[in-house]
Amino acid sequence: MVGSSHEALHRIFQKDPALLTRALQEVLHVPFPEPREFAAMNIDLTEIEPIERRVDTLLRAETDEGSYLLVVESQGQPDERKRGSWPYYLAFLREKFRCEPVLIVVTQNSATARWAAEPIYLGVPGRPSMAVWPFVLGPDNVPVIADVREAARNVTLAVFSAMTHGRGPMAAGILESLAAALRTIDEDSAAVLVQFVDSCLTDPKAQQMWRDLMTTMQYFWRHPLAEQVREQGLEQGLEQGRVRDRAEMTLNILRWRGIEVPDHIRERVQSCTDFDQLTVWSERAVHADTAGDLFADRHG
């Protein structure tokens, strides 16, 4: 189960490697040759020295023009250390596998995208010994897909669009279109893609909207995320029951003691969702002279 947007943003390319080359060709307009096949590779770039170095996702693409190593790095925010490690990754991979490495950075943040796109120069200013120009996929160039037909034509790109743009005023259209498009592919693949989207939705409202949409899809209930949703629903139900019982107890204490409860006080107690506050009011009800004493400051 994918647990973070960092993981989801690069693992979607493990699920569908062709999405990565389509993004290079169609989004970034890079004349990348059409791959015949892909192979996932070991992401561990650690050498004999005790320095651990790992890329996020590493794919080998075989094309008619030769082999390429596609290095995918998921970046949440600027990290100046990467301006040293990224050139290292590329040089190490080229030397080890004798084929060309390509660095692609994916991010949900426009400022991070601008930072990541800045070229990295190593050596003498004006005449560097090495220059690295990362390709970047982010909010400013990944297409917004909020049309059902467009989403159905390229479901994984629509998923990546939702992962990148799943907040703000376009969220509803993006997520609703994607939910409909997911019904057009096999259930096992759809279940994995559902989790990728859920992990990247940082806006609580958008995430809840997505989960509400997914509860109408039968395959969703076989996915680990469904268990999480069920558990959350159970916890919410239990908490709501505790709150409701405590409100009724507060009103019953007043009734048992023969204290009249005006409608506005009854409504205030019944509409309260704070269990701790209701507990305080129930304790005050034991000693109250009037219903209004529940809210008197002198009771603490």
Side-chain angles (χ1 to χ4, degrees):
M1 181 174 175
V2 181
S4 69
S5 60
H6 175 91
E7 288 294 304
L9 278 172
H10 69 87
R11 283 180 56 183
I12 188 174
F13 300 114
Q14 298 175 17
K15 174 67 177 172
D16 182 11
L19 172 64
L20 187 55
T21 53
R22 288 200 303 271
L24 286 172
Q25 296 164 346
E26 299 171 15
V27 178
L28 299 177
H29 306 294
V30 177
F32 193 88
E34 198 64 37
R36 297 190 305 274
E37 62 178 315
F38 292 94
M41 301 183 67
N42 191 336
I43 61 174
D44 192 343
L45 306 187
T46 305
E47 300 182 82
I48 296 175
E49 299 294 326
I51 300 176
E52 183 176 309
R53 299 180 187 272
R54 295 176 186 272
V55 296
D56 288 330
T57 285
L58 180 61
L59 301 168
R60 185 174 184 131
E62 300 295 344
T63 78
D64 291 337
E65 299 179 17
S67 299
Y68 288 86
L69 299 176
L70 304 177
V71 183
V72 184
E73 285 281 276
S74 175
Q75 199 67 30
Q77 60 187 12
D79 181 354
E80 288 303 315
R81 293 174 300 178
K82 292 298 181 73
R83 303 186 72 78
S85 58
W86 286 342
Y88 168 84
Y89 295 162
L90 301 180
F92 176 86
L93 289 168
R94 191 180 191 283
E95 177 64 19
K96 182 175 182 178
F97 296 102
R98 299 294 178 177
C99 55
E100 297 304 323
V102 180
L103 175 62
I104 304 102
V105 181
V106 291
T107 182
Q108 296 174 289
N109 183 278
S110 293
T112 301
R114 290 191 294 271
W115 166 83
E118 294 176 0
I120 302 168
Y121 298 114
L122 302 182
V124 178
R127 187 61 173 83
S129 298
M130 178 186 288
V132 175
W133 295 69
F135 294 117
V136 181
L137 295 168
D140 297 330
N141 56 15
V142 172
V144 174
I145 299 179
D147 177 79
V148 175
R149 287 173 296 181
E150 186 179 359
R153 281 195 297 269
N154 194 335
V155 176
T156 49
L157 183 58
V159 169
F160 191 55
S161 174
M163 293 162 64
T164 306
H165 300 287
R167 54 184 169 187
M170 295 296 292
I174 293 171
L175 297 179
E176 289 172 1
S177 298
L178 177 57
L182 284 171
R183 293 186 173 91
T184 67
I185 65 175
D186 69 276
E187 294 181 353
D188 290 336
S189 294
V192 175
L193 296 174
V194 164
Q195 176 59 34
F196 286 153
V197 175
D198 188 85
S199 298
C200 286
L201 294 176
T202 55
D203 182 346
K205 291 183 179 178
Q207 187 179 67
Q208 188 59 54
M209 181 192 309
W210 179 241
R211 293 182 175 187
D212 290 343
L213 287 168
M214 290 302 96
T215 56
T216 66
M217 304 176 75
Q218 294 299 318
Y219 68 77
F220 173 72
W221 297 105
R222 303 201 309 269
H223 195 272
L225 175 59
E227 186 62 33
Q228 179 183 342
V229 173
R230 280 196 293 267
E231 290 176 358
Q232 289 176 347
L234 179 59
E235 290 175 0
Q236 290 173 356
L238 291 173
E239 179 62 21
Q240 289 169 358
R242 291 172 69 232
V243 167
R244 186 170 55 251
D245 290 346
R246 187 53 53 94
E248 287 304 312
M249 183 179 75
T250 301
L251 296 173
N252 284 337
I253 291 173
L254 294 176
R255 180 173 60 82
W256 294 333
R257 297 187 61 232
I259 297 175
E260 182 180 352
V261 181
D263 289 343
H264 71 279
I265 290 181
R266 182 181 302 278
E267 291 172 3
R268 180 174 175 180
V269 172
Q270 291 178 331
S271 64
C272 180
T273 59
D274 186 332
F275 181 81
D276 292 337
Q277 180 63 73
L278 287 166
T279 299
V280 171
W281 289 347
S282 66
E283 292 171 352
R284 292 177 181 176
V286 175
H287 305 287
D289 296 321
T290 67
D293 287 344
L294 295 181
F295 318 124
D297 292 339
R298 67 175 180 274
H299 291 291

